Amino acid sequence: MDSRKLRDALGLFSTGVCLVATQDEADRACAITVNSFASVSLEPPLVLWSVQKESDLYALFVRAQRYTIAVLNEHQRDHSIRYSQKGSHQLLDHHYKIGTGGAPVIEGALVNFECTQTEAIDGGDHTIILGQVAQIEQGEVGKPLVFFGGNYRDLQ
């Protein structure tokens, strides 16, 4: 399979953009940009996302017992870009607060799902992280940050 052709074809599925945030071993808040977020189950409340094995935060997220998945709004493109860059994952102080479950919650996001990791599943060049939702913090109503065809897009 031609990986470029596959990547281009998968890019024809529009996705929302999320930050997944946790704290490292020194209690610093860190985040990574993902578009691989999905609902799994309502009972129990399970969601999943995946982290690339070559990510500089791979080991941190595979071990993280608590993390938050934040669905970004259309005005948070800079968050998406910043936290997708290698070596640029430490959250800026004004981008987050600590949630009730102890993980960083992203300020201004459409919604934050505070999760407890239940399983890490091998998925080729990624690991699929399954988590149980413990808390939900809904932000202001707005439009999501959307990615399609290799670019950010606006909803009409």
Side-chain angles (χ1 to χ4, degrees):
M1 172 59 64
D2 179 332
S3 63
R4 180 76 250 172
K5 185 175 182 177
L6 178 60
R7 185 180 180 110
D8 290 345
L10 291 170
L12 297 176
F13 180 70
S14 60
T15 64
V17 182
C18 300
L19 288 185
V20 181
T22 194
Q23 291 178 305
D24 67 13
E25 45 285 333
D27 285 333
R28 292 177 299 221
C30 300
I32 190 169
T33 303
V34 302
N35 67 351
S36 59
F37 169 64
S39 169
V40 175
S41 169
L42 295 177
E43 283 299 325
L46 299 173
V47 295
L48 66 77
W49 67 284
S50 63
V51 59
Q52 188 175 33
K53 290 180 180 175
E54 293 191 11
S55 167
D56 49 343
L57 291 186
Y58 176 78
L60 175 64
F61 278 109
V62 169
R63 289 190 316 265
Q65 290 304 302
R66 292 180 300 185
Y67 58 87
T68 300
I69 301 170
V71 178
L72 299 181
N73 76 52
E74 67 182 343
H75 304 295
Q76 292 178 308
R77 184 182 298 192
D78 61 325
H79 286 41
S80 172
I81 294 167
R82 176 185 183 81
Y83 300 116
S84 69
Q85 297 174 6
K86 197 170 194 94
S88 187
H89 299 293
Q90 190 168 339
L91 280 164
L92 297 177
D93 289 344
H94 63 282
H95 286 174
Y96 78 98
K97 64 182 180 184
I98 297 299
T100 57
V105 169
I106 305 302
E107 298 279 9
L110 293 178
V111 65
N112 282 274
F113 298 92
E114 290 186 67
C115 300
T116 302
Q117 186 178 143
T118 61
E119 194 171 353
I121 305 157
D122 182 58
D125 60 1
H126 283 66
T127 294
I128 302 158
I129 308 292
L130 185 65
Q132 184 160 344
V133 178
Q135 299 287 332
I136 298 171
E137 182 176 307
Q138 196 147 350
E140 294 184 28
V141 175
K143 293 181 182 177
L145 184 59
V146 176
F147 203 75
F148 174 80
N151 293 298
Y152 294 99
R153 305 292 178 150
D154 292 323
L155 290 180
Q156 301 301 327

